[in-house]
Amino acid sequence: MLDLNSKYTYKIYSEANASTIIISSDGFFHEHQELIEYRNNSIIIKTSEYEGYKISRLSDPFRILIDFPKRLTESENIMNINESLVSYIKSFPYENGTRIEIGTSSQARFETEKNTENMIMGIYDPVVSNIL
């Protein structure tokens, strides 16, 4: 049993064989738990607070932007990936929320999957069809 004063918030992160409880007095958990993980051309954003998010694309250079209306981090974080599809992932505070910028080598395709603990974005090669 965990009994907290009302000014504290907490998050529970579950792995295959362990759970971690993070307690915060200001509502930010970024110093204790990484917001983003990258595995096999998939970006795992560790949050269940993605209601109202927006995804957009930019070119020159190619990027995918994900804007979350809620503040998930208070600092800029950059992961250099340097793989065939993804070159970097950057997260930073943006307006009143958080922006995640994914540098890609081309106008890559993506698919998102959401669950109660995270949002997963798979990055794939672009598909070109009907070109003669």
Side-chain angles (χ1 to χ4, degrees):
M1 180 171 169
L2 180 65
D3 187 16
L4 297 174
N5 183 314
S6 63
K7 71 178 184 175
Y8 293 97
T9 57
Y10 67 93
K11 285 192 176 186
I12 300 173
Y13 298 96
S14 298
E15 298 289 328
N17 58 358
S19 293
T20 303
I21 300 172
I22 307 295
I23 300 171
S24 172
S25 61
D26 64 1
F28 297 109
F29 300 92
H30 66 277
E31 295 173 349
H32 307 287
Q33 180 77 19
E34 292 297 321
L35 174 64
I36 299 170
E37 185 178 326
Y38 180 79
R39 274 188 266 159
N40 303 323
N41 290 332
S42 291
I43 298 153
I44 299 127
I45 303 164
K46 297 179 182 179
T47 183
S48 60
E49 301 178 32
Y50 41 72
E51 186 76 27
Y53 75 96
K54 290 188 257 180
I55 298 177
S56 54
R57 293 178 187 261
L58 297 174
S59 57
D60 199 17
F62 293 113
R63 291 163 287 161
I64 299 170
L65 304 178
I66 311 170
D67 291 331
F68 293 93
K70 184 147 180 140
R71 184 68 50 100
L72 304 175
T73 184
E74 285 297 311
S75 60
E76 181 176 297
N77 299 292
I78 299 174
M79 294 173 59
N80 291 310
I81 307 298
N82 295 320
E83 289 192 0
S84 63
L85 290 173
V86 177
S87 56
Y88 69 90
I89 304 168
K90 179 167 58 170
S91 61
F92 54 94
Y94 178 74
E95 295 177 356
N96 292 326
T98 300
R99 173 168 278 179
I100 296 176
E101 179 178 315
I102 304 157
T104 59
S105 60
S106 63
Q107 194 73 296
R109 292 183 305 118
F110 62 86
E111 293 179 10
T112 59
E113 174 188 326
K114 299 170 281 296
N115 60 42
T116 59
E117 295 179 4
N118 51 44
M119 176 178 170
I120 302 167
M121 176 178 274
I123 307 289
Y124 308 99
D125 286 316
V127 174
V128 180
S129 62
N130 297 328
I131 294 189
L132 301 174

